């Protein structure tokens, strides 16, 4: 059965537009991200015009606040989360990274907005074909940077090694920053292990992996708000279930086994964003 474009990716993009009406978060959002997101959604046809109009109206914020009772802090977290990932990418470039790899990119506009500023860096996005097709349509209508490659591949069907080894511009010896925002919880534990391992094999010295993850307490309880059963049921109903949760102690071990070292320095104080945790790992 042919997959539909990701509803989670669309939800994140619309969330950013809604956040532009929140005065205290407006200044936290990366520069031009809201206008770029609106233009991408319009030109890709990813959203109905009526839905977009609703999000251009400040009254939409009350509905996001209502859902925020199930996922406490998640609505507001997207501003700090997007800023964290963008800062990590730009910092990595300034420290020698020559490749940016965005996994499960959805309607993220980072590469659209910054690729032209760093012509010496190659930007790659990988996403499942249905979502990537709309993204490609929108990006081409806006004007695709020459150093951006959007790869429509389902990493559930092919390994990331198979996908990237087929890309002529991908260089496994180059310092790289990998961005996996809001992705890992949709993968199985085996897939998460494989992803970190293969990314270590596909990147050069000095590379970093920036990611979000959902955590379990050391006692094994889901650390995703007061109503974990409702949230997990809702994700399952949208056919995008959450599959991977980890204790922090287990995460540290997983990273080390797959060739990475968790960086307290790079993660800094931004360890949590809504119900998700932020993490940065450096290649060993």
């Amino acid at each position: 059965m042919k997959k539909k474009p990701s509803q989670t990716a669309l939800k994140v993009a619309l969330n950013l537009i809604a956040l532009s009406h929140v005065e205290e978060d407006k200044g936290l959002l990366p520069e031009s991200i809201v206008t770029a997101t609106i233009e991408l959604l319009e030109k890709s046809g990813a959203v109905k015009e009526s839905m977009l109009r609703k999000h251009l109206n400040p009254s939409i914020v009350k509905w996001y606040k209502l859902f925020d009772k199930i996922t406490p802090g998640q609505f507001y977290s997207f501003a700090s989360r997007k800023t964290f990932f963008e800062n990590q990418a730009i910092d990595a470039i300034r420290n020698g990274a020559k490749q940016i790899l965005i996994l499960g990119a959805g309607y993220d506009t980072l590469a659209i907005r910054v690729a032209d500023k760093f012509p010496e860096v190659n930007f790659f996005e990988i996403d499942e074909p249905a979502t990537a097709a709309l993204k490609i349509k929108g990006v081409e209508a806006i004007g695709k940077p020459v150093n951006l490659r959007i790869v429509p591949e389902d990493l559930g069907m092919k390994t990331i090694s198979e996908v990237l080894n087929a890309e002529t511009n991908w260089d496994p010896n180059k310092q790289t920053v990998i961005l996996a925002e809001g992705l890992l919880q949709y993968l199985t534990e085996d897939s998460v292990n494989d992803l970190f391992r293969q990314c270590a094999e596909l990147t050069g010295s000095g590379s970093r992996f920036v990611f979000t993850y959902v955590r379990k307490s050391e006692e094994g309880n889901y650390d995703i708000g007061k109503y974990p059963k409702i949230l997990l049921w809702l994700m399952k109903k949208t056919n995008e279930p959450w599959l991977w949760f980890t204790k922090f102690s287990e995460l540290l071990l997983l990273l080390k086994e797959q060739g990475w070292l968790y960086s307290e320095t790079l993660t800094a104080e931004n360890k949590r964003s809504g119900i998700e945790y932020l993490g940065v790992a450096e290649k060993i």
Side-chain angles (χ1 to χ4, degrees):
M1 184 173 67
K2 186 178 179 181
K3 282 189 176 180
K4 295 180 179 179
S6 170
Q7 289 304 297
T8 297
L10 179 58
K11 181 180 70 176
V12 171
L14 292 172
N15 197 124
L16 292 175
I17 298 171
L19 272 175
S20 68
H21 305 302
V22 180
E23 204 61 41
E24 57 268 33
D25 272 18
K26 190 185 300 183
L28 296 177
L29 288 164
E31 185 179 358
S32 75
I33 191 172
V34 175
T35 53
T37 301
I38 292 170
E39 186 177 20
L40 177 61
L41 292 181
E42 285 179 329
K43 294 190 174 180
S44 67
V47 64
K48 292 180 180 178
E49 186 180 343
S50 59
M51 180 61 74
L52 190 56
R53 279 201 308 271
K54 286 180 182 178
H55 281 76
L56 294 173
N57 189 317
S59 65
I60 194 66
V61 171
K62 67 182 179 183
W63 298 108
Y64 278 90
K65 285 183 175 180
L66 185 63
F67 191 74
D68 218 37
K69 292 182 179 179
I70 298 175
T71 56
Q74 194 71 358
F75 169 52
Y76 297 103
S77 74
F78 283 102
S80 57
R81 194 174 95 175
K82 286 292 181 185
T83 300
F84 180 80
F85 273 78
E86 189 152 326
N87 288 345
Q88 284 289 329
I90 292 173
D91 179 68
I93 291 171
R94 289 172 177 162
N95 282 280
K98 298 300 181 184
Q99 294 179 147
I100 303 291
L101 173 60
I102 306 174
L103 301 175
Y107 305 108
D108 183 80
T109 61
L110 171 63
I112 304 171
R113 291 179 291 108
V114 308
D116 286 336
K117 298 176 184 178
F118 302 102
E120 75 284 4
V121 177
N122 284 325
F123 289 75
F124 297 84
E125 295 186 1
I126 301 176
D127 210 345
E128 56 83 25
T131 306
L134 290 176
K135 178 74 168 285
I136 290 169
K137 177 184 175 183
V139 171
E140 288 181 346
I142 293 168
K144 187 173 81 67
V146 294
N147 54 335
L148 169 60
R149 169 85 170 112
I150 301 174
V151 185
E153 289 286 2
D154 186 344
L155 292 178
M157 304 298 291
K158 285 187 179 181
T159 67
I160 193 167
S161 296
E162 290 173 323
V163 173
L164 291 177
N165 286 332
E167 292 296 314
T168 55
N169 289 334
W170 181 264
D171 188 340
N173 298 308
K174 282 187 176 179
Q175 184 178 331
T176 303
V177 56
I178 301 155
L179 307 176
E181 181 187 354
L183 171 68
L184 299 184
Q185 63 261 41
Y186 297 97
L187 306 179
T188 64
E189 184 174 354
D190 285 345
S191 296
V192 172
N193 274 280
D194 285 344
L195 181 64
F196 278 109
R197 176 181 56 79
Q198 291 176 51
C199 284
E201 295 169 352
L202 290 161
T203 57
S205 177
S207 295
R208 70 177 74 170
F209 201 124
V210 189
F211 58 97
T212 58
Y213 65 102
V214 285
R215 196 184 276 189
K216 286 191 294 189
S217 69
E218 291 301 318
E219 293 73 37
N221 300 314
Y222 294 130
D223 187 8
I224 52 174
K226 294 181 179 179
Y227 309 102
K229 289 183 179 179
I230 295 175
L231 176 57
L232 296 178
W233 177 81
L234 286 171
M235 298 312 300
K236 190 173 182 180
K237 288 293 286 185
T238 61
N239 294 316
E240 296 180 5
W242 285 7
L243 304 173
W244 184 66
F245 303 80
T246 184
K247 299 176 183 178
F248 185 61
S249 58
E250 293 173 342
L251 174 68
L252 298 181
L253 181 61
L254 180 157
L255 290 171
K256 191 171 184 180
E257 288 176 343
Q258 306 308 332
W260 300 91
L261 189 64
Y262 185 88
S263 174
E264 291 279 358
T265 303
L266 291 174
T267 305
E269 74 279 4
N270 297 305
K271 291 184 178 178
R272 190 163 194 176
S273 182
I275 60 173
E276 293 174 88
Y277 283 80
L278 303 170
V280 185
E282 296 177 287
K283 184 174 175 179
I284 298 173

